[in-house]
Amino acid sequence: MVIPVGRTGDVREPETRELRVTPPHCPTCAAQLERRLAAVEGVTDVEVSTLDGVVRVTYDPASIDAAELDRVVTTIGGQISHVEGEDHDHLEEGLTLASGLFLLGGGLAYLLGDIPLEAVGGVGVSLSTILFGIGAALGGFPVVRRAFAELRQRLLGIDLLVSIAIVGALALGETFEAAALAFLFGLAEWLEERAAARARRSIRDLLDRAPKRVTVLRGGREIELPVEAVSPGEVILVRPGETIGLDGVVARGRSSVSEAAITGESTPVTKEEGDPVYAGTLVEDGSLEIRVIRPAGESTLARIAALVEEAQHRKAPVERFVDRFARYYTPTVVAIAVLVALIPTLLGLSAREWIFRALMLLVIACPCALAISTPVAMVSALVAAAKRGILVKGAAALEAIAGVRFLALDKTGTLTTGELRAEVLPLNGADPREIIRIAAALERGSEHPIARAIRALAEDSDSLPEIEDFQALPGRGVRGRIGGEEYVVGRPELFRELPAAVRELLASGKSAVLVGKPERPIGAILLSDELRPEAKWALAALRELRVEPVLLTGDRAPVAQRVAEALGIREVHAELLPEEKLALVEGLRERGGVAFVGDGINDAPALAAADVGIAMGDIGTDAAIEAGDVALMRDDLRGVPELVGLGRRALRVVRANIAVSILLKLVVAGFAFAGLASLALAVLIGDVGASLLVTGNAMRLQGPALGRQER
Ligand code: ADP
Ligand code: MG
């Protein structure tokens, strides 16, 4: 059954449609579904999430319209998904449990010397055989049913293979093997489904850090309401020790607030009137009245959870490898199984024995543990990162960060605090107040840290002149007209002529921007910025991880050199325009993986060009959350080495999982081929064991972060 859960894309092309196939029982089916949908004309991209069974189809609305696509997808998808929903799962669980009990009973009967029963037709049947037979039937029922569904859809699914093995074992009179196979296969499936459910839940838990109910002040009274019932503009009351339920601005009161839920930073921040506060953060010692600014579903916390959810759909290359592997693996094993059954039999060897070995190979063909291991590991890592205030927007980005060799850094606002100090230096006796007036007026249109520092110089920002034809020159400055006259603020190259005093000033290695008409500056504004206190530590930590920092800045060479020396950066490129930063990032990529970290202002091209774009900025601002592949919710460079470490650990876990599941399968296959294994052992080791090992390993990724966050 296919249930549309999507949003029919937005107005932008191409459009996306989401469908849910419940549950994604069979990884090889998912791969086949993906391939069939990809073959539909007009479909540009298909992604099947192994964790939640959501199929995401991206299509070109020009060649196929939404209704038509829906029809096609429903036919293909409807054919493919063969499990009718959650209720059905309880039935399967029950059947698996019952088959386990019969298996146990049969085993006991056998050990206690069995009771031979005279069956109709004179065949001697023992009690254990009957109990095993019932166990096999109960446990095998759901598998065979799904196998029929697969057959009708001409799919080569796992259920079909296991069904053949169960029926085959019964036919050979191996009732114990059949029962054990049915039970253990059910157990393995249940373990996998549980691991997937746990991973899904860990994403939802991100949201649970904000309370569901809040105290609203309405008409002078306090009313307790669910967060969904509160609209922006209303005022909520949060007492000491309570967690804030909605994003807002402090309207009254003062308190220290722990923002660990969002930034991962445990040191509390003082919040008072006018300060923004976020859902999920903890009010420690004062009461706050908070004016709500966003509905519950749009809180920063909700957006973080949504982005993490989204992130697992952007599969990492290593996950794609597993998908591809599963696709070829199953048919290959089936072909081998057929040969194993046929050739020795034709050569006159014991047919029974070799058919049994072939059945074992069929069972071994299930790549289930393998298919579940990567997404579970990736989600664990994504959630762990989110809890530390590192928002990674794709499993692919997580894998990329693990392989990064260079970290390109922007200077202003990234290596230095975005808080510059500005000082006016008039030229040729110009009036410093006039220089400030012009510069501050022009900088009104810019977000750059330099602009902020210059605006701060103006005492009365309301009386600044009007600007016409304003133009931001990214990486260079700003331009506009005041009373018909053109003025510029920015780099020396923006001016046709530089007075000797300016040339001297620049030669002295100071950081400065010039103010004036394009012909000639009338003043300079000296800027001094301070290094972030954590920058040195963060870069040293990165170097230990063998990631080489590279400074890319639009500022002047002497300034860049000083910063680089203070921080021990060896590769420095200064006086760059945004497009030159971009070219340098692309050049670095030829030497290895590159991450770029910037404050998101003027840096968009470089952020996009890097293998991983990391945006730093104030939490809650759209720019910080939206830009780049990774957003550091805590304005702190130490997040970068933390992220690299986490990415590498995640990739190590994934690789170990892949290796372990393939290795176990190979070992079991070897034993089976040599006639040393049983069906039961094959499933026990290859599926149950592998599932436990692999998901346990993946869950470890969440460990340390959870420990750190516990309140
Ligand atoms: P960085 O790489 O240090 O972050 P940018 O690329 O953002 O620097 O800017 C490079 C240079 O361009 C600055 O050092 C400054 O001289 C000039 N500049 C950029 N934006 C502005 C602005 N809004 N006002 C004045 N000068 C600016
Ligand atoms: Mg910058």
Side-chain angles (χ1 to χ4, degrees):
M1 183 173 45
V2 174
I3 312 152
V5 287
R7 7 192 259 249
T8 318
D10 30 7
V11 251
R12 270 172 281 121
E13 303 173 65
E15 291 179 9
T16 296
R17 187 115 177 82
E18 283 183 359
L19 302 151
R20 174 162 289 139
V21 182
T22 42
H25 221 275
C26 149
T28 48
C29 297
Q32 292 173 64
L33 171 63
E34 202 169 312
R35 221 161 2 136
R36 283 196 190 174
L37 285 177
V40 172
E41 209 182 301
V43 170
T44 52
D45 192 34
V46 186
E47 282 186 350
V48 181
S49 158
T50 323
L51 270 195
D52 56 13
V54 170
V55 179
R56 177 174 301 178
V57 189
T58 308
Y59 61 100
D60 173 13
S63 43
I64 185 165
D65 69 34
E68 170 71 4
L69 180 88
D70 256 20
R71 208 182 51 73
V72 177
V73 168
T74 316
T75 7
I76 302 180
Q79 280 176 354
I80 299 238
S81 75
H82 45 251
V83 181
E84 274 112 47
E86 309 268 351
D87 298 338
H88 185 67
D89 260 4
H90 290 303
L91 173 68
E92 293 196 0
E93 275 170 30
L95 287 172
T96 300
L97 186 67
S99 87
L101 290 177
F102 275 96
L103 181 65
L104 194 70
L108 281 177
Y110 180 80
L111 287 176
L112 296 177
D114 241 342
I115 309 157
L117 299 177
E118 235 19 79
V120 214
V123 187
V125 180
S126 64
L127 177 62
S128 63
T129 307
I130 292 182
L131 292 177
F132 287 145
I134 298 176
L138 290 176
F141 172 72
V143 190
V144 172
R145 213 174 63 153
R146 290 195 304 257
F148 270 114
E150 284 173 15
L151 264 181
R152 273 201 303 277
Q153 298 146 33
R154 283 166 291 113
L155 284 177
L156 186 59
I158 288 310
D159 296 304
L160 186 58
L161 305 186
V162 174
S163 298
I164 295 175
I166 294 175
V167 173
L170 281 175
L172 294 174
E174 300 278 358
T175 48
F176 164 74
E177 289 282 22
L181 170 58
F183 167 67
L184 290 172
F185 183 67
L187 180 66
E189 299 243 287
W190 179 76
L191 284 174
E192 281 145 24
E193 181 46 42
R194 240 184 45 132
R198 241 177 97 182
R200 288 195 299 266
R201 191 151 24 84
S202 70
I203 299 175
R204 249 173 281 133
D205 286 348
L206 285 175
L207 272 177
D208 286 344
R209 293 179 296 170
K212 304 264 177 300
R213 300 178 73 81
V214 288
T215 309
V216 189
L217 299 178
R218 274 189 193 163
R221 296 214 345 256
E222 296 178 13
I223 324 170
E224 197 176 297
L225 285 176
V227 284
E228 290 79 19
V230 183
S231 343
E234 292 195 272
V235 175
I236 58 172
L237 175 68
V238 187
R239 296 192 178 83
E242 286 180 351
T243 305
I244 299 171
L246 291 151
D247 283 9
V249 173
V250 177
R252 211 160 87 180
R254 182 192 159 97
S255 171
S256 39
V257 172
S258 162
E259 297 191 318
I262 288 178
T263 62
E265 173 58 60
S266 47
T267 319
V269 229
T270 305
K271 297 281 183 173
E272 47 194 25
E273 238 175 273
D275 287 340
V277 285
Y278 304 96
T281 61
L282 178 72
V283 174
E284 298 198 326
D285 46 14
S287 278
L288 294 179
E289 282 177 25
I290 296 164
R291 185 169 306 282
V292 175
I293 55 167
R294 291 190 195 102
E298 288 167 28
S299 70
T300 304
L301 199 63
R303 286 167 68 199
I304 292 174
L307 282 168
V308 172
E309 164 108 73
E310 182 93 349
Q312 54 111 353
H313 284 274
R314 302 204 195 148
K315 289 193 180 176
V318 61
E319 291 180 81
R320 301 218 164 274
F321 162 77
V322 168
D323 286 353
R324 264 201 312 277
F325 182 82
R327 192 185 297 169
Y328 296 113
Y329 175 74
T330 314
T332 310
V333 179
V334 172
I336 296 176
V338 170
L339 294 180
V340 166
L342 276 184
I343 296 177
T345 309
L346 293 178
L347 293 176
L349 293 169
S350 156
R352 185 191 154 81
E353 194 169 299
W354 286 95
I355 288 176
F356 192 71
R357 287 181 198 177
L359 292 182
M360 226 175 296
L361 279 178
L362 289 187
V363 170
I364 294 166
C366 175
C368 309
L370 179 62
I372 198 77
S373 69
T374 19
V376 168
M378 285 299 182
V379 167
S380 292
L382 293 172
V383 169
K387 287 186 173 164
R388 296 177 187 200
I390 304 170
L391 188 52
V392 185
K393 288 183 248 166
L398 198 63
E399 181 172 346
I401 195 80
V404 152
R405 277 193 52 212
F406 298 100
L407 178 73
L409 299 125
D410 167 51
K411 181 185 73 79
T412 317
T414 305
L415 281 173
T416 63
T417 67
E419 277 141 46
L420 297 154
R421 254 183 327 113
E423 204 183 316
V424 189
L425 187 80
L427 299 167
N428 301 333
D431 178 4
R433 271 170 314 186
E434 180 65 7
I435 297 169
I436 293 175
R437 232 171 60 88
I438 293 170
L442 275 164
E443 293 287 12
R444 257 193 315 222
S446 170
E447 291 273 315
H448 201 279
I450 292 178
R452 248 182 290 141
I454 293 177
R455 283 199 304 264
L457 286 175
E459 280 148 26
D460 182 6
S461 53
D462 294 332
S463 67
L464 295 175
E466 283 302 312
I467 303 292
E468 294 149 41
D469 301 333
F470 172 81
Q471 201 186 358
L473 310 166
R476 286 185 297 166
V478 288
R479 166 158 77 195
R481 279 176 199 288
I482 301 173
E485 294 271 10
E486 186 177 349
Y487 285 93
V488 284
V489 183
R491 287 164 67 146
E493 303 91 277
L494 295 174
F495 298 86
R496 245 165 269 151
E497 197 184 304
L498 296 179
V502 169
R503 264 173 282 148
E504 254 166 60
L505 172 76
L506 295 176
S508 77
K510 290 224 168 65
S511 192
V513 295
L514 304 178
V515 184
K517 299 198 175 132
E519 297 84 58
R520 209 163 205 285
I522 55 167
I525 295 177
L526 301 181
L527 297 158
S528 48
D529 51 359
E530 263 172 62
L531 291 178
R532 285 173 183 270
E534 81 278 7
K536 194 164 183 156
W537 185 91
L539 294 191
L542 276 168
R543 214 170 277 116
E544 245 161 62
L545 293 166
R546 294 170 174 281
V547 177
E548 190 61 36
V550 178
L551 177 57
L552 304 182
T553 179
D555 209 339
R556 310 205 23 262
V559 184
Q561 209 58 51
R562 260 203 317 273
V563 168
E565 255 159 50
L567 297 174
I569 300 176
R570 271 171 242 147
E571 191 168 340
V572 185
H573 302 270
E575 295 175 34
L576 301 172
L577 293 173
E579 56 270 27
E580 292 170 320
K581 286 189 188 177
L582 174 75
L584 276 163
V585 165
E586 277 165 357
L588 280 175
R589 286 188 66 188
E590 281 161 28
R591 289 155 57 191
V594 182
F596 180 90
V597 53
D599 56 4
I601 298 161
N602 281 0
D603 299 330
L607 272 178
D611 296 292
V612 186
I614 305 173
M616 296 198 10
D618 287 329
I619 54 166
T621 61
D622 286 355
I625 297 187
E626 244 58 78
D629 307 304
V630 175
L632 298 182
M633 307 298 284
R634 162 172 50 128
D635 201 16
D636 185 329
L637 276 174
R638 279 172 297 191
V640 181
E642 233 176 289
L643 174 67
V644 173
L646 188 71
R648 290 196 184 162
R649 275 207 298 147
L651 205 61
R652 263 204 303 277
V653 164
V654 166
R655 291 208 176 116
N657 278 354
I658 294 178
V660 162
S661 21
I662 294 180
L663 203 73
L664 281 181
K665 290 283 178 189
L666 286 180
V667 167
V668 177
F671 276 116
F673 193 73
L676 292 172
S678 70
L679 279 178
L681 198 68
V683 196
L684 189 66
I685 297 178
D687 284 323
V688 180
S691 289
L692 283 174
L693 218 66
V694 143
T695 56
N697 195 20
M699 286 299 169
R700 274 190 326 142
L701 283 170
Q702 274 190 27
L706 281 176
R708 259 182 54 144
Q709 291 308 308
E710 236 121 49
R711 292 199 274 264

